[in-house]
């Protein structure tokens, strides 16, 4: 078997596409103007920003004046939570509803708010990785300022019942935010139709560069500034605009949302082939609902082995993958998402996340399906835990 | 997470993997919950560790430290093996990331645990010779 190089970690980041790079390039050298300047070079930069804003708005069913560019998805999340809390503090609304399996950009922001006198209710997920709208409904109180539930989970890819949750929030008069960093460009989103008040998105997950994000703020919902300074972004977000990155995001989101359904179908078929193939390995389980998940995501627990070893060995075979969230790799505890699913620690330690896109060649899918079982076999052969599982002394989930 | 070339080498080509039939001592440390289990088998002849094998469930550093530890005690006297510290294992691997240092502690404990079992099988109280085998701090 000839060694290949396969990047199967698109949920971590993506390669800047050629189209995106080409769209960006003029704004580094020839079109370097400051968008706030009065002369033509400045106005041209401003025009480029507004075109990008229109593209972002169109991609998620918003109006251009509802889009603000930020430096990343995390900034958008911080702005949403802290901004709404700040806005409603005077009304005594000091309660936040979120879920246990949010990205750390939300969870750690909520923990920060807890230190500042806020109460947070973390609604659970079920064994399929889904938040129940009923749980959200029951968690909302008189003093709830904001509900923040992610559109799709970054580790297990499950897509949440966003429209239902948004409807509950609307009915209860609570602002609803969704972290859609993983979902934008992969599933259809219409913020107005879905009743979303605030939405975070990021560029580098959809082939734009790192360091660019955006937030959708529903018209009429005036959020206090998060970053203070100049008058950029209609006086809402200070800091000289990163024109090339903004242009790149506009191009990237337009491409990602073109033929989104068709691409999703292709990706899903390839993804399902990977799921079915890997699940042939004994003592494995798919984490998260099989159907209500991002087209390119699969997350499988493989008993008797540890995730990092698996990733290192896949890397030696040219496959870039992830075990849970990349953000978790600095810590030794298994992923909070997998534990929230109800997995035992030892099973959560041995999880594999692959995130593919529609253009992955069939040969690459074949190669992954050839390599993964071999690597698992090798690691299990040296695992005392596997020995016990085989003897029936240790049971997984 | 930056691993040294030596760590990667010992991870991808671990030395002394396996089991020893009729081992003179078997030690096991760590637990599945923490994500590391090391099991070490030794063969002893006239106070010399003539053979050593290991099986490890764990991260890259856990496999590499197990492998290096077995290399460092193979053919050595029990006395020398008892003197092996986790620090020596780390040094032999050209260092480990700080969050992975506990793996080297496990490797040291795995050796002590196997030697302890060896003495117990000989009808000798291992405690005065091997000493207490501490629990991994990271796990508790």
């Amino acid at each position: 078997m000839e060694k290949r190089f396969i990047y199967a970690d698109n949920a971590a980041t993506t390669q800047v596409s050629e189209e995106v790079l080409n769209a960006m390039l003029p704004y580094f050298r020839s079109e370097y103007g400051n968008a706030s300047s009065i002369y033509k070079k400045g106005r041209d930069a401003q025009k480029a920003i507004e075109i990008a804003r229109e593209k972002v708005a169109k991609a998620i069913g918003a109006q251009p004046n509802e889009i603000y560019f930020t430096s990343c998805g995390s900034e958008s999340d911080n702005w949403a939570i802290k901004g709404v809390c700040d806005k409603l503090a005077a009304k005594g609304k000091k309660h936040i509803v979120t879920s246990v399996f949010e990205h750390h950009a939300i969870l750690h922001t909520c923990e920060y708010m807890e230190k500042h006198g806020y109460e947070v209710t973390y609604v659970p997920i079920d064994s399929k990785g889904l938040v129940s709208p009923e749980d959200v409904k029951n968690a909302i109180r008189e003093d709830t300022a904001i509900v923040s539930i992610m559109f799709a989970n970054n580790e297990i890819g499950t897509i949440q019942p966003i429209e239902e949750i948004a409807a509950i929030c609307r009915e209860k008069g609570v602002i609803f935010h969704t972290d859609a960093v993983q979902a934008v460009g992969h599933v259809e989103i219409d913020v107005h139709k879905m009743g979303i008040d605030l939405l975070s998105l990021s560029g580098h997950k959809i082939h734009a560069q790192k360091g660019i994000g955006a937030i959708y703020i529903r018209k009429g919902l005036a959020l206090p500034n998060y970053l203070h300074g100049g008058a950029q972004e209609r006086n809402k977000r200070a800091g000289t605009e990163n024109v090339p990155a903004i242009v790149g995001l506009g191009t990237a989101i337009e491409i990602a949302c073109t033929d989104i359904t068709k691409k999703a179908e292709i990706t899903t078929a390839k993804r399902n082939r990977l799921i079915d193939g890997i699940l042939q390995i004994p003592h494995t389980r798919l984490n998260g609902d099989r159907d209500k998940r991002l087209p390119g995501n699969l997350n499988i627990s493989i008993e008797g082995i540890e995730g990092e070893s698996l990733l290192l060995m896949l890397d030696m075979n040219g496959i870039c993958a992830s075990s849970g969230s990349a953000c978790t790799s600095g810590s030794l505890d298994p992923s909070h998402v997998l534990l929230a699913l109800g997995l035992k620690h030892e099973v959560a330690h041995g999880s594999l996340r692959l995130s593919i896109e529609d253009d992955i060649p069939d040969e690459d899918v074949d190669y992954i399906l050839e390599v993964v079982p071999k690597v698992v076999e090798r690691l299990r052969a040296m695992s005392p835990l596997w020995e016990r599982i085989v003897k029936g002394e240790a049971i997984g989930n | 997470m930056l691993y040294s070339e030596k760590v990667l080498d010992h991870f991808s080509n671990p030395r002394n993997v396996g089991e020893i039939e009729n081992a003179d001592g078997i030690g096991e440390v760590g637990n599945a919950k923490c994500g590391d289990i090391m099991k070490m088998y030794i063969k002893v002849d006239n106070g010399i560790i003539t053979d050593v094998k290991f099986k490890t469930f764990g991260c890259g550093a856990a496999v590499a430290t197990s492998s290096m530890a077995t290399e460092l005690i193979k053919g050595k006297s029990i006395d020398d093996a008892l003197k092996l510290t986790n620090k020596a294992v780390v040094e032999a691997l050209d260092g480990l990331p700080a969050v992975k240092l506990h793996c080297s502690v496990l490797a040291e404990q795995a050796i002590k645990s196997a030697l302890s079992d060896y003495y117990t099988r000989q009808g000798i109280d291992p405690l005065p010779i091997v000493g207490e085998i501490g629990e991994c701090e990271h796990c508790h």
Side-chain angles (χ1 to χ4, degrees):
Chain A
M1 180 172 51
E2 203 182 319
K3 187 176 165 180
R4 302 173 80 93
F5 175 79
I6 301 170
Y7 186 77
D9 202 16
N10 289 283
T13 197
T14 58
Q15 181 184 38
V16 171
S17 70
E18 211 175 328
E19 295 98 316
V20 168
L21 181 64
N22 287 336
M24 289 170 71
L25 281 175
Y27 295 91
F28 285 104
R29 297 276 297 160
S30 56
E31 304 297 328
Y32 54 85
N34 185 322
S36 302
S37 301
I38 193 79
Y39 40 77
K40 186 170 183 302
K41 223 170 197 39
R43 294 196 309 271
D44 284 350
Q46 187 62 45
K47 269 183 209 157
I49 291 173
E50 294 319 316
I51 290 169
R53 198 187 308 282
E54 280 166 27
K55 287 177 179 172
V56 173
K58 193 176 166 215
I60 59 168
Q63 290 300 314
N65 62 4
E66 294 175 313
I67 303 297
Y68 299 84
F69 293 109
T70 61
S71 65
C72 57
S74 294
E75 185 193 325
S76 301
D77 285 343
N78 270 264
W79 191 4
I81 302 281
K82 292 173 185 168
V84 170
C85 286
D86 191 9
K87 181 186 167 81
L88 300 177
K91 291 187 181 164
K93 296 197 183 248
K94 302 202 91 174
H95 178 239
I96 300 167
V97 176
T98 187
S99 77
V100 288
F101 81 149
E102 296 293 314
H103 189 273
H104 286 139
I106 291 293
L107 288 181
H108 289 168
T109 303
C110 286
E111 282 163 25
Y112 171 84
M113 296 313 295
E114 283 177 306
K115 282 187 196 137
H116 287 75
Y118 282 76
E119 270 184 68
V120 182
T121 301
Y122 299 92
V123 297
I125 51 169
D126 64 15
S127 61
K128 293 193 153 193
L130 299 168
V131 169
S132 141
E134 199 59 26
D135 285 344
V136 174
K137 191 177 189 173
N138 295 333
I140 294 174
R141 313 191 311 211
E142 277 297 306
D143 62 342
T144 302
I146 185 169
V147 170
S148 179
I149 304 290
M150 67 200 321
F151 207 108
N153 183 266
N154 48 311
E155 291 188 39
I156 54 175
T158 48
I159 299 168
Q160 304 308 309
I162 291 302
E163 217 167 331
E164 283 176 69
I165 295 170
I168 289 165
C169 293
R170 190 61 58 92
E171 189 194 312
K172 298 251 184 189
V174 177
I175 296 169
F176 175 63
H177 166 255
T178 185
D179 174 345
V181 164
Q182 293 289 339
V184 167
H186 297 290
V187 290
E188 272 192 88
I189 298 176
D190 187 319
V191 286
H192 289 164
K193 207 181 109 217
M194 294 176 150
I196 297 164
D197 296 314
L198 296 158
L199 176 144
S200 304
L201 64 92
S202 170
H204 76 106
K205 310 288 191 191
I206 51 170
H207 300 281
Q209 68 159 79
K210 293 155 191 74
I212 185 69
I215 184 170
Y216 147 80
I217 304 175
R218 183 175 52 77
K219 204 180 170 190
L221 177 66
L223 223 55
N225 290 22
Y226 180 56
L227 205 57
H228 302 271
Q232 291 88 359
E233 293 299 279
R234 307 187 296 290
N235 246 325
K236 279 295 173 194
R237 198 269 185 190
T240 302
E241 297 91 341
N242 187 345
V243 185
I246 289 170
V247 168
L249 173 58
T251 306
I253 203 165
E254 185 176 48
I255 295 170
C257 292
T258 306
D259 295 329
I260 195 165
T261 314
K262 201 174 120 199
K263 282 188 282 193
E265 273 170 27
I266 295 168
T267 311
T268 302
K270 291 178 178 180
R271 195 267 327 267
N272 284 345
R273 197 151 81 79
L274 282 172
I275 291 178
D276 294 335
I278 297 173
L279 287 180
Q280 301 265 308
I281 301 170
H283 289 267
T284 49
R285 57 161 276 169
L286 178 69
N287 295 318
D289 193 273
R290 188 183 165 112
D291 301 315
K292 288 174 190 159
R293 72 191 299 135
L294 292 171
N297 170 288
L298 72 94
N299 187 310
I300 289 176
S301 283
I302 303 169
E303 287 180 35
I305 63 167
E306 193 276 336
E308 191 202 86
S309 288
L310 176 64
L311 297 192
L312 285 171
M313 224 163 248
L314 289 176
D315 181 36
M316 285 163 192
N317 285 282
I319 301 171
C320 304
S322 168
S323 181
S325 165
C327 313
T328 323
S329 65
S331 105
L332 297 166
D333 293 323
S335 123
H336 68 285
V337 175
L338 298 179
L339 293 181
L341 270 182
L343 262 62
K344 286 184 181 175
H345 275 66
E346 49 268 47
V347 178
H349 278 301
S351 73
L352 170 68
R353 180 189 74 177
L354 299 173
S355 39
I356 60 160
E357 295 195 336
D358 61 306
D359 61 354
I360 183 172
D362 288 325
E363 295 75 24
D364 283 4
V365 173
D366 294 337
Y367 180 81
I368 293 171
L369 289 175
E370 256 186 89
V371 169
V372 173
K374 279 183 191 161
V375 165
V376 169
E377 200 185 321
R378 195 169 162 210
L379 287 168
R380 279 179 171 174
M382 66 162 97
S383 165
L385 179 60
W386 177 243
E387 208 177 285
R388 272 187 235 159
I389 292 167
V390 171
K391 284 184 193 157
E393 292 166 16
I395 354 150
N397 281 59
Chain B
M1 186 85 57
L2 267 179
Y3 281 140
S4 70
E5 286 300 319
K6 269 214 179 130
V7 171
L8 291 174
D9 173 40
H10 275 263
F11 169 75
S12 49
N13 303 296
R15 282 61 147 179
N16 309 310
V17 176
E19 297 169 20
I20 298 176
E21 263 186 72
N22 310 315
D24 297 317
I26 301 173
E28 188 182 298
V29 292
N31 66 64
K33 199 182 169 195
C34 293
D36 301 293
I37 302 174
M38 283 184 200
K39 197 167 181 180
M40 215 158 282
Y41 300 77
I42 51 168
K43 198 86 193 154
V44 181
D45 190 14
N46 265 329
I48 303 291
I49 297 168
T50 54
D51 198 11
V52 51
K53 296 261 190 230
F54 80 90
K55 276 183 125 182
T56 290
F57 158 78
C59 61
V63 174
T65 52
S66 311
S67 167
M68 182 53 91
T70 57
E71 283 286 272
L72 290 172
I73 63 163
K74 200 173 178 178
K76 299 279 167 62
S77 68
I78 289 180
D79 286 350
D80 284 343
L82 284 170
K83 281 182 212 146
L84 183 78
T85 61
N86 77 301
K87 210 171 151 235
V89 176
V90 174
E91 276 166 17
L93 285 169
D94 293 340
L96 275 181
V99 291
K100 299 288 187 184
L101 285 174
H102 72 274
C103 293
S104 66
V105 176
L106 273 183
E108 181 192 319
Q109 288 172 346
I111 292 168
K112 293 203 165 123
S113 171
L115 286 168
S116 201
D117 182 52
Y118 164 74
Y119 281 117
T120 306
R121 289 180 192 211
Q122 306 288 313
I124 302 165
D125 178 11
L127 199 61
I129 309 163
V130 181
E132 286 266 12
I133 300 167
E135 296 274 8
C136 172
E137 278 174 32
H138 148 70
C139 304
H140 298 276

